[in-house]
Amino acid sequence: MEDIAPPPATRLDMRDLRVVLALASAGTTAKAASVLHLTQPAVSRALLAAEERLGARLFERTPRGLVPTVAGQELVTGATRLLVELGDLEHRVRAPVAPSVRLRLVCECYTAYHWLPSALVTLRKSLPGLGLSLSVEHTQSPVQALVAGELDVALITTASVPPRIGVEARPLFSDEIVFVMAASHPLASRRALTREDIRGSTILTGQTPPAETHWFMTQVFGRERPRLKVEKLPLTEAILDVARAGLGIAVISEWITTPHLAKGDLVTKRLASGALRRPWRMAWRKEVGDAASRLHAALEATVPRALAVG
């Protein structure tokens, strides 16, 4: 034992890391307090204490919530990796010969499939003994499939998870829904779009679930339910090609549009009333809780961090 070097002294402990991760995922101290089963003042004090010990500001306080600083993002990325590695170590020590677990996974919004496959490749090394398979047939009704036992894990956006149904859900990240149109479109010169602009345009979208459509209408029109002209297309590339031809306005996640804007023939617009922030959560059957918790921690390290978490 004398040959084992003492561990380096650190200013933060595991509790600090969990608080920072919860704040990065939730975006507010109130939501993070709920996730951590703490009071809001306790979370605020824990954040201030961590910032004082590090001598660095970890989050910017904005009207939209807490946004990680450069130092905060560095800590979030490293903390996630450390906690995943610690969880894997504990798992191997507790059950070194435990059989592998296979989780059936689906995404409520098809845009996640632009990110998830590459993320799963990255996760294989950090999740030994955990296999994942995509169950895309449950895309339209993931919560019902979880309740019926036909699915183990779902990445959901707008679907509600009723209490006491044997399903747990935690925040993961958020993205922004934007409006994409041809640079030659009559509305392309506008600084931002209004409700009237949306009413008078052809909306291009994917095969979105009913809950997603309801969320969009509520965010844009409130209690109004105007009859919109909507064209549903099966592929992101098709949606953007039709928008490029000036035949409508694509409603799509900002993280999908970036690679398609380089040529300058498409432009992105937002609503004059404010950004459309869409929360993502991971939901799973409680019977697979241990494996799902490890997957959630690992996914937090691979989500598109260029997007503001909140």
Side-chain angles (χ1 to χ4, degrees):
M1 295 297 292
E2 294 180 357
D3 295 332
I4 300 177
T10 60
R11 295 176 181 268
L12 301 181
D13 57 25
M14 288 298 174
R15 180 186 177 187
D16 295 317
L17 300 184
R18 295 188 186 280
V19 168
V20 169
L21 287 177
L23 287 167
S25 294
T28 67
T29 54
K31 291 180 181 178
S34 177
V35 172
L36 296 167
H37 304 292
L38 298 172
T39 64
Q40 186 174 355
V43 173
S44 298
R45 289 194 299 270
L47 173 58
L48 290 174
E51 290 181 326
E52 289 178 0
R53 287 197 291 273
L54 289 174
R57 181 180 289 272
L58 300 177
F59 292 89
E60 294 293 346
R61 283 70 171 173
T62 75
R64 293 189 301 170
L66 296 175
V67 177
T69 62
V70 174
Q73 189 56 66
E74 183 73 19
L75 182 59
V76 166
T77 302
T80 302
R81 184 173 59 251
L82 285 173
L83 291 176
V84 169
E85 291 177 353
L86 178 60
D88 287 340
L89 176 59
E90 291 179 350
H91 182 77
R92 293 194 300 271
V93 171
R94 291 200 321 266
V97 294
S100 61
V101 177
R102 190 160 196 84
L103 298 180
R104 298 162 295 173
L105 173 69
V106 76
C107 302
E108 181 185 19
C109 179
Y110 74 99
T111 56
Y113 293 117
H114 289 258
W115 151 67
L116 189 62
S118 58
L120 295 182
V121 171
T122 304
L123 294 178
R124 283 176 180 171
K125 292 183 179 179
S126 64
L127 296 171
L130 182 59
L132 299 167
S133 61
L134 296 178
S135 300
V136 294
E137 66 272 18
H138 298 300
T139 300
Q140 292 290 320
S141 53
V143 176
Q144 292 90 323
L146 287 172
V147 174
E150 299 170 351
L151 191 66
D152 300 307
V153 176
L155 301 185
I156 58 178
T157 54
T158 54
S160 61
V161 180
R164 298 184 297 277
I165 61 171
V167 175
E168 184 173 349
R170 292 182 192 171
L172 192 57
F173 69 100
S174 70
D175 62 353
E176 181 181 354
I177 301 299
V178 295
F179 302 87
V180 181
M181 65 189 72
S184 59
H185 193 283
L187 296 176
S189 60
R190 299 283 185 89
R191 184 173 182 178
L193 302 183
T194 65
R195 293 180 179 179
E196 289 68 32
D197 294 331
I198 305 302
R199 284 194 188 96
S201 302
T202 298
I203 300 300
L204 308 173
T205 184
Q207 303 294 329
T208 55
E212 183 93 1
T213 300
H214 177 77
W215 174 86
F216 173 81
M217 295 296 290
T218 301
Q219 293 295 310
V220 177
F221 298 104
R223 294 184 178 180
E224 297 180 52
R225 287 297 179 268
R227 294 181 65 86
L228 302 181
K229 184 177 180 182
V230 178
E231 295 287 347
K232 293 189 175 184
L233 300 165
L235 299 173
T236 298
E237 289 72 14
I239 295 172
L240 294 175
D241 282 342
V242 174
R244 188 178 286 109
L247 300 179
I249 298 176
V251 179
I252 197 167
S253 175
E254 184 184 23
W255 63 337
I256 302 301
T257 65
T258 303
H260 300 274
L261 300 177
K263 293 182 179 180
D265 54 356
L266 291 173
V267 296
T268 299
K269 300 294 176 181
R270 292 171 172 81
L271 281 180
S273 57
L276 295 177
R277 303 294 306 180
R278 180 177 60 173
W280 286 75
R281 293 160 292 153
M282 178 174 150
W284 61 85
R285 296 189 304 115
K286 291 185 178 180
E287 290 86 346
V288 298
D290 180 64
S293 294
R294 293 169 60 215
L295 175 60
H296 181 275
L299 282 176
E300 282 190 316
T302 62
V303 296
R305 291 292 176 181
L307 305 172
V309 177

